[in-house]
Amino acid sequence: MYSNGPVMRDLPKHVPLLLSAWQSRWLYIACVIGLVLSGLMLMRVMSTDTLPVLQLPDHRSFRCDIANTRDDLPDYQILTVHYSGAEKLARELCQSTALKQHYGGVNIQWFPRGELTARHIVEERFDLFWSRDQRVQGLVPRFNQYYESIFQLPHYQVMWFSQDKIPALTPEYFDQHSIGLLEDMESYSHFLMPLNQLKALGVDVSRLRITYFPNYYLLKQAFWRGDVDLISDGSWLEASAGDRTLYHKLIDEHAAMGHWYARRTRPAAIDCALLRSLQDYTGHLQSMSVGYASATDSAPIDDKMGGCK
């Protein structure tokens, strides 16, 4: 009997197995070749200039637009040392009718005080910034050619804190306890003031168990865990103590927090808006802590600023 399809003959039993193995081998080779070609194509694409550059977000700044202003106007540039309240300060200035005549937006940055350089000052990179007189005069001796102080921040207390008992201001006490400080050698509260007091007490600092931390967060966490016995801080530390019991000893009762400095070449019409916003910003910081003096301790430096309502 004949069939309409191809003639099928009986094959030895091992032949189908050989054919299956041969097909699997070619399939494996094809996969390998495909992977190699894909890798070469990816390398070629990555080596070209058409690959877009990934732009990482800047986590140390905030910018807002001033409404109903011209596109060609510059941003008002602000520098502070702390992120808390920075966005609020920028947004408030973005609502100012005085600023919109001269600026297209407000850009505020926050970074450690040690990153402020003489070049920032002589090139007037910032329209407004927060620092201390000693710091800026040390960078640029004729600093007042470029900037002037317009707002003095309130004074505050600096203290030794312990979770054990009230610290004793004696060399013997500090010899027996570990201390946590910041690596920031320009920090008044967490480096200069405590070390100055130890020197005044006749303590041999080289013999002490001092651990230096790269930032305030790590310093505070080490203190809460008991890794260090003592840290120096403003009395705002008590606000974050929770159920912990804190003991303290005064280092400085009237520590200067610094000033806000504005460019000398600025539109006079914006001064009142700046002062109102700086008052609000200072109030925000005070509301977060119990370590500042009263709000009346902060005031404009120049009498000509006092007429703002």
Side-chain angles (χ1 to χ4, degrees), residues 90-107:
R91 288 190 183 280
E92 184 170 335
L93 288 173
C94 275
Q95 301 301 316
S96 168
T97 56
L99 264 71
K100 80 174 184 177
Q101 305 299 323
H102 307 277
Y103 302 97
V106 175
N107 183 54

Side-chain angles (χ1 to χ4, degrees), residues 37-71:
L37 292 175
S38 298
L40 291 173
M41 292 177 64
L42 180 61
M43 291 175 63
R44 180 176 177 81
V45 171
M46 294 180 67
S47 66
T48 63
D49 294 334
T50 59
L51 189 66
V53 177
L54 179 62
Q55 297 292 337
L56 296 177
D58 183 359
H59 295 292
R60 301 198 305 177
S61 68
F62 171 81
R63 184 190 179 280
C64 57
D65 288 319
I66 296 177
N68 303 320
T69 189
R70 301 201 316 264
D71 294 336

Side-chain angles (χ1 to χ4, degrees), residues 5-299:
V7 178
M8 301 296 295
R9 298 180 180 178
D10 294 335
L11 297 174
K13 293 181 178 181
H14 65 279
V15 171
L17 296 176
L18 290 174
L19 290 173
S20 178
W22 182 258
Q23 292 171 346
S24 298
R25 181 181 179 186
W26 276 107
L27 180 61
Y28 171 76
I29 293 173
C31 290
V32 171
I33 292 173
L35 289 173
V36 171
L37 292 175
S38 298
L40 291 173
M41 292 177 64
L42 180 61
M43 291 175 63
R44 180 176 177 81
V45 171
M46 294 180 67
S47 66
T48 63
D49 294 334
T50 59
L51 189 66
V53 177
L54 179 62
Q55 297 292 337
L56 296 177
D58 183 359
H59 295 292
R60 301 198 305 177
S61 68
F62 171 81
R63 184 190 179 280
C64 57
D65 288 319
I66 296 177
N68 303 320
T69 189
R70 301 201 316 264
D71 294 336
D72 60 334
L73 293 177
D75 284 347
Y76 191 77
Q77 302 287 345
I78 305 175
L79 172 66
T80 183
V81 296
H82 200 275
Y83 65 87
S84 180
E87 181 177 336
K88 180 179 182 298
L89 174 60
R91 288 190 183 280
E92 184 170 335
L93 288 173
C94 275
Q95 301 301 316
S96 168
T97 56
L99 264 71
K100 80 174 184 177
Q101 305 299 323
H102 307 277
Y103 302 97
V106 175
N107 183 54
I108 188 166
Q109 300 179 57
W110 50 90
F111 54 70
R113 61 182 66 81
E115 293 187 24
L116 179 68
T117 67
R119 187 171 184 176
H120 287 136
I121 293 173
V122 298
E123 293 184 357
E124 298 180 288
R125 298 278 188 88
F126 300 102
D127 296 286
L128 180 73
F129 70 89
W130 175 9
S131 189
R132 289 186 171 97
D133 281 336
Q134 300 93 321
R135 168 69 179 161
V136 293
Q137 293 290 350
L139 289 173
V140 181
R142 295 185 178 181
F143 163 77
N144 58 5
Q145 291 182 327
Y146 307 96
Y147 290 88
E148 64 176 339
S149 301
I150 65 167
F151 190 85
Q152 179 178 338
L153 289 160
H155 291 77
Y156 66 106
Q157 294 179 333
V158 180
M159 295 175 282
W160 289 110
F161 282 95
S162 166
Q163 296 187 80
D164 181 27
K165 58 183 179 181
I166 298 175
L169 300 182
T170 65
E172 293 76 20
Y173 177 84
F174 289 101
D175 282 340
Q176 298 168 7
H177 293 82
S178 59
I179 300 172
L181 298 175
L182 283 185
E183 288 179 338
D184 182 358
M185 291 181 287
E186 295 184 30
S187 170
Y188 275 39
S189 305
H190 311 293
F191 185 89
L192 292 173
M193 287 184 179
L195 289 179
N196 287 343
Q197 188 184 60
L198 292 175
K199 178 67 175 178
L201 293 171
V203 177
D204 184 354
V205 175
S206 65
R207 296 179 52 186
L208 297 181
R209 290 177 290 152
I210 300 178
T211 302
Y212 294 93
F213 295 87
N215 59 61
Y216 177 69
Y217 174 81
L218 293 177
L219 169 67
K220 191 166 68 169
Q221 292 305 309
F223 176 64
W224 294 141
R225 291 194 304 266
D227 296 342
V228 294
D229 301 323
L230 298 165
I231 64 171
S232 60
D233 207 343
S235 56
W236 52 76
L237 182 67
E238 295 173 334
S240 61
D243 296 332
R244 305 176 183 91
T245 301
L246 287 180
Y247 303 90
H248 58 79
K249 196 72 173 181
L250 191 66
I251 296 176
D252 192 317
E253 188 173 14
H254 205 64
M257 186 172 290
H259 299 256
W260 282 99
Y261 302 93
R263 288 180 59 187
R264 283 193 172 274
T265 54
R266 65 183 185 276
I270 71 171
D271 283 347
C272 286
L274 294 179
L275 291 175
R276 282 192 294 268
S277 296
L278 292 177
Q279 286 278 16
D280 290 345
Y281 180 66
T282 302
H284 167 78
L285 295 179
Q286 288 175 315
S287 69
M288 295 179 59
S289 68
V290 293
Y292 298 124
S294 65
T296 57
D297 195 23
S298 59

